[in-house]
């Protein structure tokens, strides 16, 4: 089913390319944004895959500025999503303002993570953030890193805020997914994005509006094809692409922590000339033997 919502489709949580000195690799940002845009998928800057919590304020702004400029050069520009993390609210407001002024289309915010928050505190945090920023705000639920889950009822309440436009949910809970899609699918002003890549096709079959797969950094065209098949009702083709992308994801994810998988993903992207596999502290590169093994497995992808 084709959606008429403003926010939909494939959004790739883009890696943040850096040099061996930990500085933003500006030419690599331009290459990656162009690569994604030419495949008609949008980047989410400074999400979990983009090491958002490790990017400095100055590099974060430079990243948004570079991505926006690269996007403007595309024949068909895509939506630029900018991640917002951290625990200092005033700093977050400054960052959100700077990203919006630089041309980011949507701010995507995770919960602050130092304190365990009550549901009411989660509500007040997002409501206040939405009240204070000028650009559209998308909620980002990711239990694996924040160690908190935004209750579905709180999401339902927040969905009525005029400046909150959607939810990116990466929690691995099928019943929760069904509930979140149920509350959003008939809402023209609130979108659901599935951040559990292995359930991309299923979420779209339920009426989800978009998907956010990290493997899309390497094969954006396959996820765009999966999305198109799903919204056209071709469940068999969507499932075929789901299984194919699941196998590709295993190359960098299987047997690794989340942090290790991110540098492994950059190794895969290196084989396409997109970036180098340097990381921001506290993450670091894999050993040379493991990197070579990843390159060899990547070479077998059809």
């Amino acid at each position: 089913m084709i959606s008429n919502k403003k926010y939909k489709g494939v959004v790739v949580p883009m890696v943040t390319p850096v040099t061996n000195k930990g500085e933003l690799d500006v030419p690599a940002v331009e290459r990656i944004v162009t690569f994604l845009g030419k495949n008609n998928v949008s980047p989410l800057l400074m999400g979990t895959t983009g090491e958002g919590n490790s990017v400095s304020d100055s590099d974060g702004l430079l990243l948004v500025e570079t991505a926006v400029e690269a996007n403007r050069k595309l024949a068909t520009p895509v939506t630029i999503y900018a991640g917002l993390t951290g625990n200092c609210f005033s700093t977050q407001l400054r960052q959100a303002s700077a990203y919006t002024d630089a041309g980011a289309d949507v701010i995507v915010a995770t919960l602050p993570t130092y304190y365990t928050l009550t549901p009411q505190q989660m509500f007040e945090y997002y409501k206040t953030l939405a009240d204070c920023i000028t650009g559209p705000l998308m909620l980002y639920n990711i239990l694996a890193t924040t160690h908190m889950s935004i209750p579905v009822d709180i999401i339902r309440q927040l969905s009525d805020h005029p400046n909150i436009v959607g939810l990116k949910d990466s929690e691995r809970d099928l019943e929760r997914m069904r509930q979140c899609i149920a509350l959003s699918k008939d809402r023209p002003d609130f979108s659901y994005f599935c951040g559990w890549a292995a359930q991309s096709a299923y979420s779209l079959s339920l009426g989800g509006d978009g998907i956010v797969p990290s493997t899309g950094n390497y094969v954006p065209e396959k996820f765009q094809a999966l999305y198109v098949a799903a919204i056209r009702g071709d469940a068999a083709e969507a499932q075929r692409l789901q299984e194919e992308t699941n196998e590709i994801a295993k190359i960098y994810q299987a047997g690794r922590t989340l942090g290790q998988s991110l540098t492994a993903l950059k190794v895969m992207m290196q084989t396409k000339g997109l970036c180098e596999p340097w990381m921001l502290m506290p993450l670091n590169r894999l050993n040379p033997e493991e990197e070579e093994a990843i390159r060899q497995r990547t070479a077998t992808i059809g």
Side-chain angles (χ1 to χ4, degrees):
M1 178 177 175
I2 298 175
S3 170
N4 61 359
K5 295 187 184 182
K6 182 175 182 179
Y7 303 109
K8 60 186 177 182
V10 182
V11 178
V12 171
M14 192 180 110
V15 303
T16 297
V18 295
T19 68
N20 61 346
K21 295 181 179 179
E23 299 168 346
L24 188 70
D25 188 340
V26 171
V29 173
E30 295 170 343
R31 288 194 296 272
I32 298 169
V33 171
T34 301
F35 174 61
L36 298 179
K38 286 183 175 179
N39 284 285
N40 200 32
V41 306
S42 295
L44 165 59
L45 311 174
M46 294 174 287
T48 303
T49 304
E51 303 169 76
N53 278 288
S54 302
V55 178
S56 69
D57 291 355
S58 58
D59 274 352
L61 179 56
L62 179 58
L63 174 55
V64 173
E65 291 172 337
T66 305
V68 168
E69 183 58 29
N71 188 46
R72 285 180 181 144
K73 297 176 182 178
L74 293 169
T76 305
V78 294
T79 303
I80 301 293
Y81 297 81
L84 193 67
T85 59
N87 295 311
C88 177
F89 191 70
S90 61
T91 298
Q92 288 185 314
L93 292 183
R94 287 195 299 272
Q95 290 173 321
S97 177
Y99 298 163
T100 300
D101 290 347
D105 297 298
V106 183
I107 299 299
V108 185
T110 59
L111 287 169
T113 59
Y114 189 82
Y115 300 105
T116 299
L117 303 178
T118 66
Q120 185 60 32
Q121 288 170 327
M122 295 179 193
F123 175 83
E124 292 296 338
Y125 166 73
Y126 279 120
K127 179 183 180 300
T128 306
L129 183 60
D131 286 343
C132 291
I133 68 175
T134 57
L137 175 66
M138 185 168 290
L139 315 176
Y140 181 0
N141 182 67
I142 178 163
L143 175 63
T145 57
T146 66
H147 309 293
M148 290 179 282
S149 176
I150 309 169
V152 175
D153 185 56
I154 296 298
I155 293 168
R156 183 177 292 106
Q157 294 176 52
L158 289 167
S159 71
D160 291 328
H161 193 290
N163 204 32
I164 295 178
V165 298
L167 165 72
K168 182 213 167 183
D169 201 330
S170 297
E171 190 162 340
R172 299 192 173 198
D173 183 329
L174 290 176
E175 179 54 31
R176 175 190 174 87
M177 176 191 295
R178 287 187 281 266
Q179 292 177 18
C180 288
I181 292 176
L183 75 85
S184 64
K185 69 177 182 178
D186 295 324
R187 293 277 304 275
D189 58 344
F190 191 80
S191 299
Y192 174 87
F193 284 80
C194 177
W196 183 3
Q199 297 297 333
S200 294
Y202 180 61
S203 70
L204 293 168
S205 74
L206 294 177
D209 301 292
I211 54 177
V212 192
S214 60
T215 311
N217 278 281
Y218 183 74
V219 283
E221 72 284 357
K222 292 186 184 296
F223 285 99
Q224 178 61 13
L226 185 159
Y227 172 77
V228 170
I231 63 174
R232 288 180 176 171
D234 189 345
E237 176 64 2
Q239 185 58 34
R240 184 190 71 78
L241 287 160
Q242 181 71 78
E243 293 171 5
E244 186 175 339
T245 54
N246 287 350
E247 289 303 308
I248 294 171
K250 290 177 183 178
I251 296 175
Y252 69 97
Q253 291 177 346
R256 296 188 176 92
T257 65
L258 175 57
Q260 290 172 326
S261 75
L262 301 184
T263 185
L265 176 57
K266 286 185 179 180
V267 173
M268 293 179 69
M269 295 174 70
Q270 184 186 36
T271 68
K272 290 189 173 182
L274 293 168
C275 67
E276 297 294 318
W278 300 106
M279 304 297 290
L280 293 169
M281 289 294 290
L283 302 181
N284 47 46
R285 289 182 66 159
L286 303 173
N287 63 58
E289 293 78 15
E290 191 169 0
E291 288 190 3
E292 181 57 28
I294 293 168
R295 292 188 192 95
Q296 289 180 9
R297 287 194 64 193
T298 302
T300 67
I301 297 174

